[in-house]
Amino acid sequence: MVALLSSSALAQKADILIAGGSLGGTAAALQSCRMAQDFGISRIIITEYTDWLGGQATSQGVTALDENIWVGMHGRYDVAASRLYYQWSDTVRNIYRPDALHTAMTTHRTGPQESELRKQDINRVRSDTFCPGNDWASRLSYLPKDGVKTINQMLEPYISSGLLEVYYNCQPVEVYKQNEKITGVRFKRNDGSDFTVEAKVVIDATELGDLLPLSGTEYRVGVEASMDTMEPSLFDKDNKPIFDRMYADGAQSFTYTFALEWCDPKEDHRGDWNERPADYDELKKDFGLNSYLFARTNVYNMSLGNAWPGESFWSYRRMYDAMNFNPDIKPDLYPRFRDGEWITEFDPEKTGWAFIPSTASTNIGDIAEINWGSNDYKGGTIIDVPLEIRARRLQEAKDLSIAFLYWMWYECPRDPADITKDWRDEENFSIDPVTGKNRGYANLKLRKDVFDTEDGLSKYPYIRESRRILPIRRVREQDVAGPTTNRARNFHDSLGIGHYYIMDSHASTERAQIAGRPCSQFQLPMRAMVPVKTEGLLPGCKNAGLTHLTSAAYRMHPTEFQFGQAAAVMAAMNIKHGLEFREMLELSPNPLNPSPAEIALRKVQYELLQAGTPIYWNFDAGWKHDEFIAVQFACVLGIIEPVENKFLPEADFTRADAVKAAYALNAARHRDVFNTRFNDVDISKKAELAEALSCLEDKKALSWLAGNKFQPESAITADEFSRTLAAVTGMDVKSAGAENLTRAGAARLVFDYLSELYQLTK
């Protein structure tokens, strides 16, 4: 519903309103609070449907985080996530580290006090890959309340100061606009009362993009028409369109997660069989410990690794590994298949990996997140449907998760009695000591206290797909598909980076089942953050200008977090300088004479980089590197090219590198005729270099180089590159020294010029 809002004393006033306490909304709150003093921001309001901020990282129960492999498996936050995301992640780990360190230092599992295995275990806990839950979906999993605790801890100083206000248990019901600009939002509380917030900038960080229909903002939902996006996966093998119109009901499935504790096998924690969901017999047909996430036909054991040695259904998304925190738990030494043979004898010195907490063990006291293909709700979307249909589907999704729980209690195939034999053979199934049967796990305890809900399910369903704004430019499959080790298309207006190994679409209907293609390392362009028409509104969650396919890769935790940060910085820039977001994309045709809009865009990027948010993928010059900002700008603007997936900051900067960089800064481009005095440059094979040389010689930018030999691979000195830049840009450059220039040093000289050009520090 859209209405005209006249300023009222009854309306609360804020500089920034963040509608929705999702993970992206939480990131937007943190980022905007940190910028408030320097950008004239005096009041920020964030609202939330539930009583927990954090979205998928808390109230939705996806606390075994979905992250890119460089963060999730290698702890390389500095190159693959923002510094703020790392700080939040490390705050979560620090809740668990004291107890885990005590366990690692005192347990008898790892042998003598000074053993190498004990040192390894201690270093594991201290590392950036320490995982409280030791799950194999990621390298950070935790109990949801601890995620809430860390968020509240990080926001508390801003709440105490009065800068930030949080309103829980409310939802937006009306949007106010003047012309095309959003000026306020009315919210309704769970108790029926309502309140209105007027704001200079509104960030829609709701899980489903709820402000978009309320504000009349153009958007897409579900699978786009094939001819709309021209994405290859939306056409059949004969190149005919699969979808002749938008398929709204094809939005990804959603899931009510829940938490189970692994109790003593002799205990019985089952619910009454007669209280199972009414549709149980029909629902169970799709249940199993198999997963459609992987191109495999294997079935996972409940608690013993089989198809992938050391991995099981139980540890897939385990939130809490009791072995991390109880020094008296003994190693889980069942036979392991490694290097083509079964290992049945274990020794701390020879098979130390079996004696420290890992994904392979299952322990009494473990708690696991149940978020599996079996409890993905595939009965239709809850977006843009009548309220009665939405309510019915939400209840059906809850029934599905409860039914899956009953199946695990009563009918799930048991782990093999002998794992070295065929684990699919029913005669090899183990026996439940409670029931005497070879199916079901009576010891699984539903932990209702994990979410503090009456039914034990997550406070809010895990949402994989939202409404998505129709932006200035959508990010499509063509922009991101490719080998996982490659960079995707470079966007000069990038505001962040992200990655997932595939476009991981959980289909809600058979018709929407589209095979996920591999993803390259992608970016978040500003053009995908700006609606084509509505002003004063920014997406801050999963509702940016993506497609059904690309949103399946962009929905991961670190990426959503960066969407929130990007929205916050854009909002702050709007408040301080008064530029509308669309105006920030009006670039000057002359790179040496940028428009006010381009200056604003580069300032947004600069503020994000200052906050340690990468906007370009480089694996050796992350935010821990002294020249991080300079390298990022040089790469995203195409001034200095990386070497495959690295920048090589300490390598020599060559003459060829220097000429290409100076040429990239020059206004004259795309010549048809090359004239150069250097006879060691093969114009037919190195046209790019020849074109650059031709241009720079016209500007007398290479006067320091005598003779007719260019020697493109020779190192250039700092002074030579400075003189070249001065000739091309007209900048006043002081002598930078006669030593050979490193690539990082070159990036610094380029950035010094860009900083002045774009007024970055003013």
Side-chain angles (χ1 to χ4, degrees):
M1 180 177 179
V2 181
L4 181 66
L5 174 65
S6 299
S7 185
S8 168
L10 297 178
Q12 303 199 48
K13 295 177 174 60
D15 293 303
I16 299 174
L17 167 62
I18 305 167
S22 60
L23 183 59
T26 301
L30 285 165
Q31 183 66 48
S32 56
C33 285
R34 292 184 173 202
M35 300 178 68
Q37 183 173 350
D38 292 337
F39 282 77
I41 299 169
S42 59
R43 193 181 187 201
I44 302 161
I45 291 177
I46 183 171
T47 65
E48 164 56 21
Y49 284 94
T50 72
D51 56 351
W52 288 359
L53 295 176
Q56 62 174 318
T58 57
S59 61
Q60 296 174 32
V62 189
T63 59
L65 306 183
D66 286 321
E67 300 175 317
N68 62 68
I69 189 172
W70 298 280
V71 168
M73 297 301 170
H74 305 296
R76 291 300 311 277
Y77 289 88
D78 62 314
V79 300
S82 71
R83 185 189 294 125
L84 185 57
Y85 183 81
Y86 167 73
Q87 290 169 348
W88 170 70
S89 301
D90 202 48
T91 304
V92 172
R93 287 187 169 97
N94 283 336
I95 289 177
Y96 295 92
R97 275 196 175 110
D99 288 343
L101 277 173
H102 173 76
T103 297
M105 291 175 177
T106 60
T107 184
H108 294 292
R109 293 188 296 256
T110 50
Q113 193 65 32
E114 298 302 319
S115 70
E116 288 301 313
L117 186 57
R118 185 180 300 277
K119 293 177 184 177
Q120 178 184 337
D121 199 16
I122 291 170
N123 289 336
R124 174 186 65 85
V125 176
R126 288 174 172 161
S127 75
D128 286 339
T129 57
F130 166 58
C131 185
N134 278 324
D135 69 302
W136 56 268
S138 71
R139 290 311 299 157
L140 179 56
S141 57
Y142 53 88
L143 296 170
K145 287 181 181 178
D146 289 326
V148 177
K149 180 179 179 180
T150 59
I151 289 170
N152 292 343
Q153 178 182 326
M154 294 178 76
L155 290 175
E156 195 281 330
Y158 308 114
I159 295 173
S160 295
S161 70
L163 172 64
L164 177 68
E165 293 185 49
V166 184
Y167 290 84
Y168 295 103
N169 300 309
C170 59
Q171 58 181 310
V173 293
E174 187 175 19
V175 167
Y176 300 100
K177 294 172 68 176
Q178 284 188 332
N179 298 319
E180 290 300 326
K181 183 177 176 61
I182 291 181
T183 57
V185 180
R186 183 168 66 88
F187 296 87
K188 185 173 288 293
R189 299 184 179 93
N190 289 356
D191 63 9
S193 62
D194 62 4
F195 64 96
T196 298
V197 180
E198 294 180 18
K200 297 175 182 176
V201 179
V202 177
I203 297 173
D204 183 352
T206 59
E207 293 292 345
L208 296 172
D210 290 336
L211 295 190
L212 305 186
L214 291 175
S215 62
T217 299
E218 292 186 72
Y219 64 90
R220 298 288 187 266
V221 62
V223 186
E224 289 84 358
S226 302
M227 299 302 291
D228 181 14
T229 66
M230 300 300 294
E231 292 169 301
S233 292
L234 301 187
F235 292 80
D236 65 18
K237 62 181 180 180
D238 298 320
N239 204 32
K240 294 180 179 178
I242 298 173
F243 300 94
D244 59 353
R245 60 177 63 87
M246 185 175 74
Y247 179 41
D249 219 30
Q252 289 193 64
S253 60
F254 61 91
T255 307
Y256 274 103
T257 66
F258 56 97
L260 293 180
E261 180 180 352
W262 188 272
C263 297
D264 189 309
K266 299 183 182 65
E267 296 179 10
D268 187 355
H269 293 282
R270 295 174 298 169
D272 187 333
W273 175 250
N274 294 319
E275 295 181 3
R276 67 193 185 282
D279 293 339
Y280 174 81
D281 288 339
E282 184 64 29
L283 295 172
K284 75 174 185 179
K285 294 177 182 178
D286 293 326
F287 292 162
L289 300 188
N290 60 309
S291 175
Y292 64 81
L293 294 177
F294 307 99
R296 295 170 177 264
T297 58
N298 58 287
V299 177
Y300 294 87
N301 282 326
M302 172 63 78
S303 63
L304 304 176
N306 58 299
W308 291 353
E311 294 170 348
S312 64
F313 170 84
W314 182 253
S315 64
Y316 169 55
R317 288 187 180 272
R318 180 170 49 190
M319 300 172 169
Y320 181 88
D321 180 359
M323 193 175 179
N324 264 329
F325 310 103
N326 185 344
D328 297 325
I329 290 179
K330 294 182 179 180
D332 194 6
L333 301 179
Y334 60 88
R336 312 290 173 78
F337 191 75
R338 285 197 166 211
D339 300 324
E341 63 179 355
W342 285 101
I343 299 174
T344 56
E345 296 182 1
F346 300 90
D347 179 272
E349 293 186 4
K350 297 179 181 179
T351 56
W353 44 265
F355 290 82
I356 58 178
S358 71
T359 60
S361 62
T362 298
N363 315 286
I364 294 174
D366 285 356
I367 302 174
E369 162 198 333
I370 307 303
N371 173 16
W372 195 250
S374 293
N375 62 323
D376 281 358
Y377 178 73
K378 307 174 185 68
T381 184
I382 56 173
I383 301 174
D384 294 344
V385 295
L387 290 178
E388 61 272 18
I389 294 178
R390 174 188 168 94
R392 173 171 58 78
R393 288 176 176 175
L394 287 171
Q395 186 58 53
E396 288 174 351
K398 290 187 174 186
D399 290 345
L400 176 66
S401 287
I402 295 298
F404 186 43
L405 170 58
Y406 270 86
W407 180 83
M408 287 189 282
W409 273 334
Y410 286 92
E411 298 194 65
C412 175
R414 299 273 307 176
D415 285 346
D418 184 348
I419 195 175
T420 65
K421 297 180 181 179
D422 189 350
W423 44 269
R424 295 163 295 188
D425 183 357
E426 190 164 350
E427 293 184 2
N428 189 28
F429 289 179
S430 59
I431 301 299
D432 190 313
V434 172
T435 66
K437 298 179 180 180
N438 66 357
R439 289 182 176 272
Y441 287 84
N443 68 314
L444 297 177
K445 180 180 181 181
L446 177 61
R447 288 288 301 268
K448 295 184 178 182
D449 60 310
V450 168
F451 292 107
D452 283 342
T453 56
E454 185 176 346
D455 55 14
L457 302 179
S458 54
K459 288 178 177 288
Y460 198 85
Y462 170 36
I463 301 298
R464 295 183 176 89
E465 184 174 340
S466 170
R467 301 176 181 91
R468 304 176 297 276
I469 65 166
L470 191 64
I472 301 297
R473 196 228 193 260
R474 276 180 290 187
V475 179
R476 302 176 298 162
E477 178 185 20
Q478 302 93 310
D479 298 318
V480 303
T484 59
T485 54
N486 289 4
R487 293 183 187 85
R489 175 173 294 175
N490 180 46
F491 291 103
H492 77 89
D493 58 337
S494 172
L495 303 183
I497 60 173
H499 186 256
Y500 201 59
Y501 70 104
I502 58 171
M503 284 170 262
D504 183 20
S505 178
H506 291 231
S508 58
T509 67
E510 185 174 350
R511 186 185 176 206
Q513 184 67 59
I514 303 170
R517 292 182 62 190
C519 269
S520 295
Q521 302 147 19
F522 50 74
Q523 298 165 303
L524 323 178
M526 181 187 280
R527 282 166 288 176
M529 298 283 289
V530 180
V532 293
K533 193 174 181 182
T534 304
E535 296 178 353
L537 177 70
L538 290 168
C541 188
K542 302 178 184 73
N543 52 346
L546 310 169
T547 67
H548 171 77
L549 292 173
T550 56
S551 68
Y554 277 73
R555 64 180 167 85
M556 307 306 161
H557 292 72
T559 314
E560 181 186 326
F561 197 94
Q562 288 195 50
F563 270 126
Q565 287 188 262
V569 174
M570 290 176 68
M573 194 63 61
N574 171 273
I575 289 168
K576 184 172 183 177
H577 298 288
L579 277 175
E580 288 299 331
F581 310 122
R582 197 175 298 107
E583 293 174 351
M584 297 182 193
L585 297 169
E586 297 173 359
L587 307 185
S588 167
N590 185 346
L592 300 181
N593 185 27
S595 64
E598 185 171 2
I599 290 173
L601 164 60
R602 303 307 171 204
K603 284 188 173 184
V604 169
Q605 292 176 315
Y606 178 69
E607 291 299 329
L608 284 164
L609 291 171
Q610 283 275 88
T613 302
I615 60 176
Y616 190 91
W617 280 95
N618 270 323
F619 284 92
D620 58 355
W623 43 256
K624 292 181 180 179
H625 195 281
D626 290 344
E627 298 298 349
F628 164 68
I629 295 177
V631 168
Q632 289 277 302
F633 260 114
C635 288
V636 81
L637 296 181
I639 297 169
I640 300 178
E641 295 179 356
V643 181
E644 295 180 349
N645 65 355
K646 296 182 178 180
F647 186 74
L648 303 181
E650 307 311 317
D652 283 344
F653 196 58
T654 68
R655 290 177 176 177
D657 292 333
V659 166
K660 291 177 183 178
Y663 177 60
L665 289 168
N666 185 59
R669 303 286 178 86
H670 308 302
R671 296 182 170 215
D672 296 321
V673 180
F674 307 143
N675 297 302
T676 176
R677 61 188 160 100
F678 301 115
N679 59 21
D680 60 344
V681 175
D682 187 341
I683 292 178
S684 64
K685 294 182 179 179
K686 298 184 179 180
E688 181 183 4
L689 178 58
E691 181 178 356
L693 282 169
S694 180
C695 173
L696 265 59
E697 284 195 89
D698 283 353
K699 289 183 168 291
K700 312 298 183 185
L702 302 177
S703 58
W704 50 267
L705 183 57
N708 59 4
K709 297 295 182 184
F710 179 61
Q711 298 177 320
E713 301 308 315
S714 295
I716 192 170
T717 68
D719 183 62
E720 290 166 347
F721 186 51
S722 297
R723 291 167 62 186
T724 300
L725 288 180
V728 169
T729 65
M731 64 186 285
D732 183 19
V733 180
K734 297 179 181 179
S735 176
E739 70 279 0
N740 285 351
L741 189 62
T742 65
R743 288 171 60 83
R748 166 48 58 183
L749 289 175
V750 168
F751 179 72
D752 287 344
Y753 164 68
L754 295 176
S755 181
E756 181 178 336
L757 181 70
Y758 296 126
Q759 307 166 34
L760 297 180
T761 58
K762 296 180 181 179

